[in-house]
Amino acid sequence: MSERKLDGKVAIVTGGGAGLGAECARSLAAHGARVAVVDIHLAGAQSVVAEIQAAGGEAVAIQTDLTSEAEVVAMVSAVVQAYGQIDVLHNNAAALDPAQRAGDRDVCNVDIAAWDRAMNVNARGAMLCCKHTIPYMLKTGGGSIIFATSGFGLLGDVTLTAYAASKAALMALARSVAAQYGKQGIRSNAIMIGFVVNEHAQKGVPEEIKQLLLDQHLTPQLGSPRQIADVVSFLASDESSFITGAVIPVDGGFTSHSPSMVPMREFFARMGSNKL
Ligand SMILES: NC(=O)c1ccc[n+]([C@@H]2O[C@H](COP(=O)([O-])OP(=O)(O)OC[C@H]3O[C@@H](n4cnc5c(N)ncnc54)[C@H](O)[C@@H]3O)[C@@H](O)[C@H]2O)c1
């Protein structure tokens, strides 16, 4: 893929102050985009902006709580004020802190505040960003919108009920936006992310769970933030101009195989053959 494929473009990355969003912001900027790094935590966004500027890129930090429509409106107008246009929106932010995860369990035990927060930040927040960004994209002939989703949004699992429902909502939202504004030049895609080892995953996820997840990925390793950021930069760019309305797995094959694959692999290993 070519370098500096985003020269002249302006990108918003929500939740850009940490984790995958931070890496996406760095990648978009390295490809030439001017980037608004948007996060509820200003210090994180500012440190990502400082890194981008130190590398010769252009970026601005904007503190925004995506659950507030007024703050989203103010954020979008601050970006337009700073850079004059918006070409790319990466809806990356999600409520994923330990307190949120602790409250987001199976349906009978899900904490209602955790359900509401997942919906408000992950799904409603992305919708608000689309609602207030799209009119600016339409003025300049279009743009690219990307949604960070997860295998949880596609497949049933034993916990993170609210997170899963919010991620499924984003897949629908990505397709709605693609259908509604495609003819006016807006592309909209979701990426379905596998397990990516970043700062919080390193700290918060036990080794046993990481190994269990690695067994279900078809790649030798779990994902890295750069592997996600590369796809986001591609989807942001005109190199992906015929891709829209898609939910693209960027998950090391996690959602591609039979549920019986891992026990089957272990069975065959015990038998010393894969003859059925
Ligand atoms: N890391 C993974 O393995 C993985 C797997 C599948 C999907 N994803 C998705 O990728 C995205 C990034 O995940 P991550 O692991 O980097 O998470 P992270 O927790 O490291 O980053 C999320 C960011 O969102 C911000 N945020 C939270 N609430 C906000 C609000 N109300 N307003 C504005 N910003 C807010 C946080 O401050 C944080 O900077 C998420 O959408 C997540 O669901 C990640």
Side-chain angles (χ1 to χ4, degrees):
M1 280 190 284
S2 64
E3 289 306 306
R4 300 207 55 97
K5 51 180 166 274
L6 299 170
D7 266 336
K9 294 198 192 283
V10 174
I12 294 173
V13 181
T14 69
L20 306 190
E23 187 67 358
C24 290
R26 288 187 285 262
S27 172
L28 292 164
H31 280 290
R34 288 170 287 165
V35 181
V37 182
V38 172
D39 208 290
I40 195 167
H41 294 123
L42 184 60
Q46 284 172 329
S47 81
V48 173
V49 166
E51 285 178 76
I52 289 172
Q53 288 170 341
E58 221 179 305
V60 62
I62 304 176
Q63 184 170 31
T64 309
D65 179 354
L66 297 174
T67 65
S68 158
E69 182 167 18
E71 289 193 30
V72 171
V73 169
M75 176 276 285
V76 170
S77 73
V79 177
V80 173
Q81 189 121 28
Y83 295 138
Q85 66 195 67
I86 302 171
D87 306 288
V88 175
L89 167 63
H90 180 31
N91 286 305
N92 164 83
L96 279 168
D97 50 82
Q100 173 65 21
R101 287 165 181 264
D104 187 6
R105 297 168 58 204
D106 59 286
V107 171
C108 291
N109 292 297
V110 73
D111 178 61
I112 297 306
W115 172 274
D116 289 345
R117 185 155 174 248
M119 289 301 167
N120 281 339
V121 177
N122 308 358
R124 184 174 177 275
M127 176 277 295
L128 288 176
C129 288
C130 292
K131 181 176 167 73
H132 295 291
T133 299
I134 287 169
Y136 289 104
M137 289 183 169
L138 294 176
K139 281 187 192 173
T140 54
S144 174
I145 301 181
I146 302 139
F147 297 78
T149 73
S150 158
F152 271 97
L154 181 74
L155 305 167
D157 218 320
V158 292
T159 189
L160 296 183
T161 306
Y163 177 75
S166 74
K167 292 296 173 181
L170 291 183
M171 294 182 192
L173 186 57
R175 292 185 175 117
S176 293
V177 170
Q180 291 162 10
Y181 305 103
K183 291 291 185 196
Q184 291 154 280
I186 293 180
R187 294 186 298 110
S188 170
N189 295 289
I191 54 170
M192 192 166 65
I193 302 170
F195 190 81
V196 175
V197 183
N198 64 6
E199 304 99 79
H200 83 223
Q202 286 284 24
K203 277 189 228 139
V205 181
E207 284 308 313
E208 194 178 344
I209 301 263
K210 279 192 219 157
Q211 185 56 50
L212 192 149
L213 288 168
L214 177 57
D215 289 346
Q216 300 285 351
H217 287 64
L218 306 183
T219 44
Q221 273 97 38
L222 291 166
S224 70
R226 179 43 58 137
Q227 288 172 313
I228 306 305
D230 283 342
V231 178
V232 168
S233 288
F234 167 67
L235 288 173
S237 80
D238 296 339
E239 290 182 357
S240 59
S241 55
F242 206 43
I243 303 178
T244 193
V247 176
I248 301 170
V250 188
D251 68 354
F254 181 73
T255 56
S256 71
H257 61 76
S258 153
S260 58
M261 183 197 74
V262 171
M264 203 69 108
R265 192 162 58 198
E266 286 162 4
F267 173 79
F268 286 138
R270 275 201 311 279
M271 302 304 285
S273 160
N274 63 353
K275 262 193 246 163
L276 263 183

